[in-house]
Structure formats: C-alpha cells, structure tokens
C-alpha cells in the first residue's frame, strides 16, 4: 500500500481571488503560487503519490466548459513537472455547488475513490486545503489534514503555504 497527499487546487496550488486573477476559468488565468511546484516535488521525492481533488462548480454553473477545465489542468501538470513534481491524477467535481452530490467537498468521495483505485493507505495520507470544506473532506475520508493560509482549529496542522506543509511532511517522514 502507498501513502498519498491529496491537494485542493485553488488557493493551495494556484492563485485565486488575487489582484491578478479572481477565478481560473481558462489556462491563461492559472498562476502557480510561489513554491507550490517545489512542494509537490518534495512530496514526490519523499515517496508520496500526489493527487488533486478540486470542486469546479463553474462547469456546472456554465462559467466554463469541461474541455477548458481539462486544458487548465494540463497546464498545471506541465508546470509542476517542469519543477520535478508529478500529479498522479486529478479528480474534480464539476457539479453546481447546490447539486447535493457526494463527490463535491466536503464529501469525501473524490478522495476515497482515488485511494481505492491507487492502493492508498488513507490513514498514512494527508489532505491539504485552504478552506474548511477541504479539511472536512479529509477528515471524513480518514486522512490527516493540513490547512494552508489562515489558521483553523479543525485541521490537524496549519502552514502558510503548500511548500511549508511539504517540508514538514518530509521531516515527519525522515523522523520515522
């Protein structure tokens, strides 16, 4: 069995709600956060499979087409690979925010489906997100949870960035 890190996309890997970009609705609006690609590389180097689990209700609401979402993800994967990291797979919920589906975070279906398909030991894995729905999804799935950005009391740990979280996970791995 393998261990994994499940990453939210917007606000963890790429900019969102910044001066430069409000929402990522086409590839030209994708800007990786400082250190995000390096953070993914560190996680991969420490033996973690890295997955992205992201709510993309803009598709269900008609703000973007699913083909454009796939182009955005292709660009993100390419940029991470340039830094030596690897995203194993991207799971996304394209339903509208009020569709009531189980795949949309805070539901844990994206995480548990990926874990089952890839032989992941969920208890040895992490969910890293920037919002409470990410943390709730991770807890429901059974992962350890890390919030990036502002502090949150329901996450197991809190760091200012994905890079800082990845360095900490790497240190934990070395101390075992």
């Amino acid at each position: 069995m393998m261990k994994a890190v499940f990453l939210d996309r917007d606000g963890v890997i790429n900019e969102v709600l910044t001066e430069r970009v409000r929402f990522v609705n086409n590839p030209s609006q994708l800007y990786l956060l400082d250190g995000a690609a390096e953070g993914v590389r560190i996680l991969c180097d420490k033996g973690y499979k890295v997955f992205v689990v992201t709510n993309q209700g803009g598709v269900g609401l008609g703000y973007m087409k699913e083909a454009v979402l796939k182009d955005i993800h292709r660009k993100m994967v390419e940029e991470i690979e340039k830094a030596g990291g690897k995203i194993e797979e991207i799971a996304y919920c394209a339903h509208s925010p009020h569709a009531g589906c189980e795949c949309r975070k805070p539901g844990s279906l994206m995480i548990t489906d990926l874990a089952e398909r890839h032989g992941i030991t969920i208890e040895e894995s992490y969910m890293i997100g920037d919002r409470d729905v990410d943390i709730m999804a991770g807890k429901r799935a059974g992962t350890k949870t890390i919030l990036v950005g502002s502090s949150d009391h329901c996450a197991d740990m809190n760091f200012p960035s994905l890079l800082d979280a990845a360095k900490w996970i790497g240190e934990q791995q070395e101390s075992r």
Side-chain angles (χ1 to χ4, degrees), residues 17-19 28-29 35 40-41 58 62 99 108 110 125 127 130 143 153 155-157 164 172-173:
L17 302 174
T18 65
E19 282 185 31
S28 68
Q29 295 170 319
V40 173
R41 182 190 50 76
S108 60
M110 287 189 285
S125 299
M127 172 66 206
D130 67 328
T143 68
H153 298 291
D156 296 317
M157 296 297 294
D164 292 314
Q172 300 306 301
Q173 183 69 20

Side-chain angles (χ1 to χ4, degrees), residues 44-59:
C44 293
D45 288 349
K46 294 299 178 180
Y48 287 87
K49 299 275 187 187
V50 179
F51 300 94
V52 174
V53 291
T54 179
N55 290 343
Q56 292 299 318
V59 174

Side-chain angles (χ1 to χ4, degrees), residues 152-168:
D152 175 71
H153 298 291
C154 78
D156 296 317
M157 296 297 294
N158 178 255
F159 293 96
S161 70
L162 172 57
L163 179 58
D164 292 314
K167 287 178 180 177
W168 180 81

